[in-house]
Amino acid sequence: MTVKGRAMPKVCIIGGGAAGLLAAGTAAACGARVTLIEKNPKPGRKLMITGKGRCNVTNHCTEVAELIKNVPTNGRFLYSAFSRFMPQDMMALVEAQGVPLKIERGNRVFPVSDKAVDIVDALQRYASRADFVQGTVKALLNDGARIEACVLEDGRRFYADAFILASGGCSYPLTGSTGDGYRIAKTLGHAVSELRPSLVALKSSNGFCALLQGLSLKNITLSLYQEGRKKPLYQDLGEMLFTHFGISGPLVLSASAYIRDFKSKRYYCLLDLKPGLSEEQLDKRICRDFEALSNKDFSNALDKLLPKKMIAVVIKRSEIPANKKVNQITKEERRRLIEVLKRFRIDLTDFWSIEQAVITSGGISVKEIDPKTMRSKLYNNLFFAGEIIDVDAFTGGFNLQIAFSTGFVAGESAAQLNQTKE
């Protein structure tokens, strides 16, 4: 097959997630004959659960520098990919497929319908010219310089001129992200950095977390600190949840992306349970409550201030006797109570399991990938896209944009491989 004097290759894409679908549609649009191999009956399964089923498809950043700032791991590697396929390009692509979008807080982009399935359908329509094959890839055969064929577990083989490995990470294995791509890359001689969870719940050594299991706190400020540093690594207002092992929820998942190493560093977070009140205002509020309940025990005077489940923990931390009458509580004791309410400390010990993480941090070394084409530096017809690469971002649609930008570049580059002139 030739188009305008150049031979268009066959492109085989492994993985039908966000990156794989974008790569498939782009390669096909460039005239390539595309085969998309996915282990699930339908591609895009992991996208169905992103954004709590709403799919935060991208972030409405207009500057490449802003995108890179939100990619703490190897962000500069993505300069070329972001420059060639920006969030506005992705939004235009989705809307061209008939799915209107909206922009919410933090420039997060969602479908107007709030249904992730609409984004999946749009990507499937975009990639509809590709031949879909259900199967699990076992290996990539090579001659030392080029990939020759893709071998499935059932023995089927697919030959192509170019191959794109876009098989995702290790998180949410039930959606098909079981780390197959890392294993395949290693067999080809590619270096894979240590894999760890990101955008994940966090474990705590504080026993009170189990006592508060199931309690959701809204409109609180969470500040993440590394022990020994005064400035917080992360701080935001929002929602979190106590679990039997520690803490979870939107604020916690966002905070986890700022934690690099639990092995040699210690981390903790401080909760401001009353972020709308200064310490002086909070003291006045407590005084009013105590004045109205002057003959009650301290343990019975916090119902308007705290969720019932949290009262016993706060009392213990304040070191104020639970049976002390509130009209006898001293100014110093009120100061200790305010300290607990404004700086409720939770010690962190580890990430929750990588299987429960939103994304996988780590992956194929960016030193072995050409950033302008996403092509392997070890094999001249192998390309990478998406989560399998050692890049990961904060929440807000940035990780999906990485998948889309790298998928676009890999798809276009693979389709233009071995161009020949008339």
Side-chain angles (χ1 to χ4, degrees):
M1 178 181 180
T2 60
V3 177
K4 293 183 179 179
R6 66 187 186 189
M8 303 307 292
K10 294 180 181 178
V11 176
C12 181
I13 300 171
I14 301 161
L21 285 167
L22 209 292
T26 301
C30 290
R33 290 170 288 173
V34 181
T35 299
L36 177 63
I37 301 175
E38 163 62 34
K39 63 173 58 175
N40 291 310
K42 292 183 179 180
R45 184 173 176 186
K46 189 175 178 181
L47 278 165
M48 295 290 286
I49 62 174
T50 60
K52 295 183 178 179
R54 297 173 63 216
C55 192
N56 180 186
V57 67
T58 187
N59 190 284
H60 189 48
C61 274
T62 58
E63 301 292 334
V64 173
E66 183 68 16
L67 287 170
I68 291 174
K69 191 171 76 172
N70 283 278
V71 185
T73 305
N74 299 317
R76 293 296 304 175
F77 169 80
L78 295 166
Y79 183 88
S80 180
F82 281 152
S83 298
R84 288 172 61 186
F85 195 76
M86 288 287 286
Q88 292 70 34
D89 298 315
M90 187 59 204
M91 293 170 68
L93 185 153
V94 171
E95 293 192 319
Q97 296 298 326
V99 179
L101 300 172
K102 60 182 177 179
I103 302 171
E104 296 187 358
R105 184 178 70 88
N107 282 328
R108 290 168 166 84
V109 179
F110 292 90
V112 170
S113 65
D114 286 328
K115 295 178 180 178
V117 66
D118 289 344
I119 300 298
V120 175
D121 288 346
L123 287 171
Q124 288 179 355
R125 285 193 291 272
Y126 179 64
S128 60
R129 280 184 283 179
D131 293 325
F132 176 77
V133 174
Q134 184 182 359
T136 300
V137 174
K138 181 180 179 181
L140 292 178
L141 303 182
N142 69 92
D143 64 4
R146 292 176 60 83
I147 305 299
E148 297 179 327
C150 172
V151 182
L152 273 54
E153 286 186 347
D154 60 11
R156 285 178 291 171
R157 293 190 179 194
F158 292 86
Y159 295 87
D161 301 297
F163 296 81
I164 300 175
L165 197 51
S167 52
C170 297
S171 55
Y172 292 122
L174 291 178
T175 65
S177 298
T178 54
D180 297 346
Y182 301 126
R183 175 185 55 78
I184 293 170
K186 283 182 179 179
T187 64
L188 296 173
H190 270 285
V192 177
S193 64
E194 181 181 359
L195 305 177
R196 65 171 183 79
S198 187
L199 307 185
V200 67
L202 298 169
K203 295 181 182 180
S204 173
S205 57
N206 301 128
F208 61 76
C209 288
L211 297 176
L212 299 177
Q213 179 180 352
L215 175 63
S216 177
L217 299 178
K218 298 181 179 181
N219 298 317
I220 58 116
T221 296
L222 183 149
S223 302
L224 173 71
Y225 290 86
Q226 181 183 314
E227 200 77 63
R229 294 179 59 174
K230 293 182 179 180
K231 188 177 180 180
L233 301 174
Y234 164 83
Q235 185 177 75
D236 202 3
L237 175 74
E239 182 179 348
M240 62 155 286
L241 173 74
F242 287 99
T243 70
H244 67 284
F245 57 80
I247 53 177
S248 186
L251 284 177
V252 177
L253 267 59
S254 295
S256 73
Y258 292 78
I259 298 176
R260 298 286 101 186
D261 181 17
F262 268 115
K263 293 178 181 177
S264 61
K265 298 179 178 68
R266 297 176 63 188
Y267 300 88
Y268 65 94
C269 62
L270 297 179
L271 307 183
D272 185 346
L273 302 173
K274 299 294 176 183
L277 300 175
S278 66
E279 292 190 15
E280 183 180 356
Q281 291 170 328
L282 182 56
D283 188 38
K284 290 180 180 179
R285 158 76 189 274
I286 291 170
C287 286
R288 288 197 302 271
D289 287 354
F290 284 1
E291 187 176 343
L293 304 166
S294 60
N295 292 319
K296 284 203 170 187
D297 291 346
F298 179 47
S299 60
N300 296 320
L302 298 175
D303 289 348
K304 293 183 179 180
L305 199 63
L306 291 165
K308 187 174 182 180
K309 209 169 187 176
M310 204 168 190
I311 290 175
V313 175
V314 168
I315 289 174
K316 184 175 182 179
R317 288 201 148 191
S318 73
E319 298 181 343
I320 302 171
N323 60 354
K324 189 170 187 176
K325 301 298 182 183
V326 292
N327 57 14
Q328 297 174 357
I329 290 178
T330 66
K331 183 177 181 180
E332 171 59 24
E333 287 173 327
R334 287 203 318 274
R335 187 198 64 77
R336 294 206 306 265
L337 175 60
I338 291 168
E339 177 70 17
V340 174
L341 296 175
K342 297 292 284 184
R343 283 172 285 277
F344 188 90
R345 176 167 171 145
I346 301 174
D347 297 299
L348 305 171
T349 58
D350 205 350
F351 301 108
W352 192 229
S353 68
I354 196 168
E355 291 80 10
Q356 300 300 320
V358 175
I359 61 167
T360 303
S361 180
I364 296 168
S365 172
V366 297
K367 295 178 181 179
E368 299 176 353
I369 304 172
D370 179 353
K372 294 182 179 180
T373 62
M374 295 297 130
R375 183 160 67 175
S376 164
K377 292 181 179 180
L378 305 186
Y379 299 87
N380 58 22
N381 67 336
L382 175 63
F383 301 80
F384 298 104
E387 195 175 348
I388 195 171
I389 303 171
D390 186 14
V391 286
D392 61 89
F394 301 136
T395 55
F398 299 104
N399 284 290
L400 275 181
Q401 186 58 44
I402 290 174
F404 297 136
S405 293
T406 56
F408 173 84
V409 172
E412 187 176 73
S413 300
Q416 294 173 351
L417 189 68
N418 298 333
Q419 291 186 15
T420 59
K421 296 181 180 180
E422 289 184 292

